Amino acid sequence: MACLSPSQLKKFQEDGFLLLEGFFTADECVAMQQRIGEIVAEMDVPLHCRTEFSTQEDEQLQTQGKTDYFLSSGDKIRFFFEKGVFDEKALHAHDPVFRSITHSPKVQALVRSLGLQMPVVVQSMYIFKQPHFGGEVSPHQDATFLYTEPLGRVLGLWIAMEDAMLENGCLWFIPGSHTHGVSRRMIRAPSDSGPGTSFLGSDPVWASNLFVPLPVRRGGLVLIHGEVVHKSEQNLSGHSRQAYTVHIMEAAGTVWSPGNWLQPTPELPFPPLYS
């Protein structure tokens, strides 16, 4: 059932994340994997646009923050090379297969059960996490990059296309860390200034023993609060760890920060989730 039970809702509110096993079928996962394979086969990214995606501040400022290819990626399907990992954005807006999954009745029912009245889709990504060299994602909060006022209006949906286990880089979370606010923000600079992005504040050093792993079988969906601290380790196994992720914002009574790197455009505003 797509709707959350009272106990599931309570657990999500307490922990800041929640696993829903078997949310998508094997056939739905296959359809997405086949479609992404077709998209990648047609990929044509000029060398000067081959940007690495990272949550590390120094790496971001050196690569993403200096290129219009990254800053203008919010309303386009674009490719990012995160230490050997292909990462595609805006699939929810431009591809019929991913659009149908993102706006499927069961996703809509799930989001309604969380109480969202006017949810909009702000971002989507397909992450490959290739075997043997798929890069780590350092501890971070999604609201660092997708900031709203008030906070707590961004929700991540992380969908396992393949089994995500300890050996191939599953997600790790600090339970309850979504209740302490945001320690760092990524800010988009004026177009006539230097680097395209900068940071306000800094992240604390989170002790490794605070994190708990969350293995997920294929088709499982993880709800991620925008402020919960999470990470994933490098994939040194022989198995990839593909995932499709979507970020949703409650638009009612919410201000999307004009300082966010990702901005809607008049041609393509953030699309409503509900049909």
Side-chain angles (χ1 to χ4, degrees):
M1 185 175 181
C3 295
L4 294 184
S5 67
S7 61
Q8 288 175 318
L9 181 58
K10 182 174 184 290
K11 183 168 179 57
F12 176 65
Q13 292 170 339
E14 291 176 349
D15 292 346
F17 63 95
L18 179 70
L19 170 59
L20 301 175
E21 292 278 17
F23 192 88
F24 287 98
T25 66
D27 286 345
E28 288 170 319
C29 292
V30 167
M32 286 187 275
Q33 288 181 291
Q34 288 179 342
R35 180 58 189 138
I36 204 70
E38 295 168 356
I39 293 172
V40 170
E42 298 168 357
M43 178 183 66
D44 182 17
V45 183
L47 286 174
H48 71 280
C49 292
R50 297 192 176 190
T51 301
E52 286 189 353
F53 180 81
S54 173
T55 56
Q56 293 277 14
E57 180 169 339
D58 56 345
E59 294 176 353
Q60 284 175 332
L61 296 179
Q62 291 171 14
T63 56
Q64 296 158 209
K66 293 183 178 180
T67 173
D68 183 66
Y69 187 78
F70 172 74
L71 293 175
S72 63
S73 65
D75 61 349
K76 307 171 183 68
I77 295 179
R78 288 209 164 153
F79 303 83
F80 297 88
F81 301 76
E82 188 264 310
K83 297 179 181 176
V85 181
F86 282 117
D87 178 355
E88 271 196 284
K89 297 178 180 290
L91 292 164
H92 68 278
H94 294 287
D95 184 80
V97 172
F98 287 94
R99 186 166 58 242
S100 67
I101 289 290
T102 303
H103 296 269
S104 63
K106 57 186 169 184
V107 168
Q108 293 187 24
L110 171 63
V111 174
R112 286 186 193 278
S113 71
L114 286 162
L116 277 69
Q117 301 299 310
M118 296 176 57
V120 295
V121 184
V122 300
Q123 182 188 45
S124 62
M125 298 181 288
Y126 195 100
I127 303 170
F128 287 79
K129 200 108 172 162
Q130 302 287 35
H132 304 300
F133 56 84
E136 68 173 331
V137 177
S138 59
H140 67 282
Q141 299 168 289
D142 290 343
T144 289
F145 312 98
L146 309 173
Y147 188 83
T148 63
E149 294 181 355
L151 283 169
R153 300 305 182 96
V154 172
L155 173 72
L157 308 181
W158 192 97
I159 305 159
M161 296 293 97
E162 300 172 308
D163 291 351
M165 301 287 110
L166 287 172
E167 59 270 18
N168 67 339
C170 71
L171 297 173
W172 293 68
F173 291 89
I174 300 181
S177 56
H178 62 300
T179 62
H180 305 304
V182 175
S183 56
R184 183 174 66 123
R185 285 186 59 193
M186 184 181 187
I187 303 296
R188 185 178 184 131
S191 57
D192 58 351
S193 63
T197 59
S198 61
F199 283 88
L200 297 177
S202 60
D203 284 333
V205 177
W206 289 293
S208 59
N209 63 356
L210 296 176
F211 287 88
V212 297
L214 190 69
V216 183
R217 292 293 180 186
R218 184 184 199 184
L221 182 149
V222 183
L223 290 174
I224 303 176
H225 190 285
E227 291 149 73
V228 72
V229 179
H230 57 291
K231 67 174 183 175
S232 66
E233 302 293 344
Q234 188 174 5
N235 180 11
L236 298 178
S237 78
H239 305 283
S240 61
R241 192 226 64 185
Q242 297 183 19
Y244 176 56
T245 70
V246 179
H247 283 101
I248 294 168
M249 178 186 72
E250 170 60 273
T254 305
V255 175
W256 179 258
S257 174
N260 286 341
W261 73 269
L262 173 63
Q263 293 295 324
T265 65
E267 296 77 20
L268 188 66
F270 294 149
L273 178 71
Y274 301 153
S275 55

